[in-house]
Amino acid sequence: DAMRSLRIVLLPFTWLYVGILSLRHLLFDLGILHSKQADIQTIVVGNLELGGTGKSPHSLWVLKQLSSETIAVLSRGHGRKTEGFLSVDVDADADEVGDEPLMLKQSVPHVKVAVCEDRLDGIKELASEGFKTVVLDDAFQHRSLKAGLNVLLTPYNLPFWKNHVLPTGTLRDVKSRAKAAHILIISKCPAEISQVEMDALRKKASLYTKAKVYFSCMRFGIPQAVFPHTRPWIMGAEVLAVSGLAHNDAFFEKVDERFQLRNTLGFSDHHRYTQKDLLLIRQRLSNFVGPLKAVLTTSKDAAKLGKKDWMELSEGIDLYSLPMEVEIIADEEELISELKTYVR
């Protein structure tokens, strides 16, 4: 079959990439390239995949468990047009600070969120401002920082041990790197996963890492109005689902389970929305027949679509963000206490 033939053609490139990655890790392991431990506590939430593991909702979950004045979040600010260290405000522009940091800030406004492409510089800056713990989203590949606590995520439907390194699969790092994890969370599990299946997955994971394994599933919160003119959510509305994710279909399926899904509009991961996209959304909505029509999007996309200067353009479009919440399926208390023990 065509997919298999393509895999075989791509294999040499995967071997080459694995070779480069392994060499880099070896140089760090031997101390030829240097890893620095920060002077303050660092918790890294990361993955081996190219996305689609639910990093942002899990970072948010970690923050909610540890929420205090002395904790801050540091992100690279993927996709931003700016450089250097920046603090993220609730009403910042996603182009300036990146979509995920903005979404995090809007979800926990009382927590300090900052972006800096040089993680060590960013940590220094936050330490000088008096923060005691920094949560770094997506810094698992950042070997020049030796994190205090590594939380590694991998998705239930394709855990890293069943996946392959790019370009054959979607791993951006070698599987052996999982040994650096202190906590492994298998994310996006079905809520009714059995004890037998959890045990089998734990056994598989133990071939790669000594980390304790936890399981999480995603559930939706209540739709939140994005614009001031958006009406409170009305059950039964016909829905247009809009997203720019690594896996749009997974989002659309989830929306379909809970709402009257009529149409979908999918963009690429980290899509930068333009006014043209709003017009496209309006056009799609005009084909709906019922009086109640709504646009549902992810918190990350809402942070980019909810621009202040687009208020007029969005007149008549009821746009809602659907917060994704993480639920730890088993041993939640134990995971929380593991995080709190480290922070203490």
Side-chain angles (χ1 to χ4, degrees):
D1 90 297
M3 203 61 207
R4 198 183 154 81
S5 321
L6 181 65
R7 278 240 159 97
I8 292 165
V9 170
L10 293 175
L11 258 180
F13 297 102
T14 289
W15 293 333
L16 178 66
Y17 188 40
V18 166
I20 294 166
L21 286 170
S22 303
L23 177 63
R24 178 173 176 264
H25 287 310
L26 180 67
L27 293 175
F28 272 107
D29 292 342
L30 293 172
I32 295 163
L33 289 176
H34 295 295
S35 282
K36 270 200 185 134
Q37 187 123 22
D39 298 332
I40 55 175
Q41 291 168 314
T42 49
I43 300 175
V44 164
V45 179
N47 57 12
L48 301 177
E49 291 80 5
L50 262 183
T53 58
K55 262 193 325 278
S56 298
H58 281 82
S59 298
L60 200 54
W61 183 86
V62 167
L63 285 171
K64 283 180 176 165
Q65 308 316 313
L66 301 175
S67 155
S68 79
E69 291 69 71
T70 60
I71 196 161
V73 189
L74 181 65
S75 181
R76 202 181 71 208
H78 185 82
R80 66 187 175 123
K81 291 174 175 167
T82 53
E83 280 180 7
F85 182 90
L86 281 179
S87 280
V88 180
D89 292 323
V90 178
D91 54 4
D93 190 315
D95 287 346
E96 303 289 308
V97 296
D99 53 10
E100 283 172 9
L102 180 57
M103 187 276 285
L104 283 171
K105 182 66 182 175
Q106 289 176 346
S107 307
V108 278
H110 61 284
V111 174
K112 164 87 168 188
V113 178
V115 290
C116 190
E117 58 280 4
D118 185 318
R119 306 292 165 83
L120 290 162
D121 280 357
I123 291 169
K124 267 198 198 103
E125 177 61 42
L126 289 166
S128 73
E129 290 179 23
F131 292 98
K132 301 274 185 288
T133 307
V134 178
V135 173
L136 294 111
D137 85 331
D138 203 19
F140 197 69
Q141 278 66 34
H142 201 76
R143 286 293 309 259
S144 52
L145 167 73
K146 189 170 171 1
L149 190 71
N150 272 318
V151 180
L152 181 65
L153 306 174
T154 196
Y156 166 85
N157 62 356
L158 189 61
F160 66 82
W161 55 83
K162 284 189 182 168
N163 204 336
H164 302 281
V165 170
L166 292 163
T168 319
T170 56
L171 294 182
R172 55 174 167 167
D173 209 340
V174 287
K175 298 174 192 184
S176 60
R177 184 68 183 120
K179 67 177 187 282
H182 299 102
I183 291 169
L184 175 67
I185 299 179
I186 297 178
S187 65
K188 301 188 173 181
C189 293
E192 59 290 336
I193 185 172
S194 69
Q195 194 58 52
V196 174
E197 198 179 352
M198 288 198 269
D199 290 343
L201 286 163
R202 283 197 175 103
K203 201 170 166 186
K204 272 281 192 315
S206 70
L207 301 172
Y208 296 88
T209 176
K210 292 191 176 78
K212 177 143 172 64
V213 182
Y214 296 91
F215 302 86
S216 72
C217 61
M218 297 297 208
R219 55 153 195 237
F220 282 134
I222 294 160
Q224 308 288 323
V226 173
F227 291 110
H229 60 64
T230 303
R231 297 174 290 189
W233 175 253
I234 302 163
M235 278 310 284
E238 289 186 274
V239 167
L240 166 67
V242 178
S243 65
L245 302 167
H247 306 293
N248 288 317
D249 288 346
F251 174 67
F252 298 154
E253 273 166 34
K254 273 198 147 30
V255 171
D256 197 22
E257 280 167 24
R258 269 195 50 193
F259 303 94
Q260 322 282 332
L261 183 65
R262 285 285 171 272
N263 206 337
T264 62
L265 194 52
F267 296 94
S268 59
D269 199 12
H270 293 288
H271 177 69
R272 269 210 179 115
Y273 289 93
T274 62
Q275 302 190 348
K276 215 163 78 187
D277 297 328
L278 267 183
L279 296 172
L280 187 59
I281 288 171
R282 186 185 293 282
Q283 190 188 336
R284 286 278 168 98
L285 280 178
S286 67
N287 300 327
F288 285 20
V289 283
L292 296 176
K293 33 195 174 186
V295 182
L296 275 182
T297 190
T298 70
S299 307
K300 195 165 85 168
D301 292 295
K304 292 181 281 189
L305 275 164
K307 288 188 180 177
K308 280 213 182 76
D309 43 350
W310 288 4
M311 214 81 88
E312 277 170 38
L313 260 182
S314 66
E315 228 18 274
I317 298 177
D318 282 326
L319 178 66
Y320 303 87
S321 72
L322 204 46
M324 287 290 262
E325 292 164 3
V326 165
E327 193 175 320
I328 304 298
I329 295 173
D331 310 326
E332 182 183 37
E333 291 306 309
E334 200 177 319
L335 176 54
I336 293 171
S337 97
E338 222 177 309
L339 291 169
K340 288 188 170 167
T341 306
Y342 170 69
V343 170
R344 266 190 225 113

